[in-house]
Amino acid sequence: MTLVTAICVAVTAAVSIYLLLSRELKGIAMGTFLIGHAANLSILAMSGEPVYTNEQGETTLKLPPILGYGEDPANPLATMVDPLPQALILTAIVISFGVMGFLLALIVATGRVTGSLDLDEFDDDPKGLHPEDAEHIEQNDSEAASS
């Protein structure tokens, strides 16, 4: 189980790094989203085995931390899943939703202003405006200077 999770983390991290290095803003956004999921999966993989082996050699899934202390009240983590990684992942998911919303708003605003989401197609205008908008601003600036 841990090996499968580790492979998923590696594949997700590799794909996210590939997307982060792209020249398209949509790819960069997708890479940012995926690297957050890879970090969450890596925390889950490091949290330990989800199975418990008792004295008779029987293996069962560990209990959720909200249902009690399990079979051994003296050592609850032996039969119960560690709740700290789950709390960290839940916090990370909430933060990543906020980052995703902000990043998508920036991409939409960039697409509206520049007319493209490809970094190679951006013009060299330091204001970062669409050429028609830049001409309009230059005309207004020249009219203001002449009056």
Side-chain angles (χ1 to χ4, degrees), residues 112-114 123-142:
R112 285 183 181 168
V113 169
T114 62
D123 56 356
D124 294 331
D125 185 13
K127 294 178 182 175
L129 298 174
H130 195 268
E132 294 174 1
D133 294 336
E135 291 174 7
H136 180 71
I137 290 175
E138 287 175 6
Q139 288 175 353
N140 288 343
D141 289 344
S142 63

Side-chain angles (χ1 to χ4, degrees), residues 55-72:
E55 292 88 20
Q56 290 84 21
E58 298 171 351
T59 58
T60 58
L61 288 176
K62 290 184 177 178
L63 297 172
I66 58 173
L67 293 181
Y69 291 110
E71 298 174 3
D72 188 9

Side-chain angles (χ1 to χ4, degrees), residues 30-91:
M30 288 300 296
T32 304
F33 305 152
L34 281 179
I35 204 159
H37 293 297
N40 291 338
L41 277 175
S42 67
I43 291 172
L44 189 64
M46 290 186 293
S47 67
E49 286 286 329
V51 293
Y52 169 69
T53 305
N54 59 12
E55 292 88 20
Q56 290 84 21
E58 298 171 351
T59 58
T60 58
L61 288 176
K62 290 184 177 178
L63 297 172
I66 58 173
L67 293 181
Y69 291 110
E71 298 174 3
D72 188 9
N75 189 10
L77 286 181
T79 58
M80 186 176 72
V81 177
D82 188 10
L84 182 61
Q86 297 176 12
L88 290 173
I89 291 171
L90 183 62
T91 305

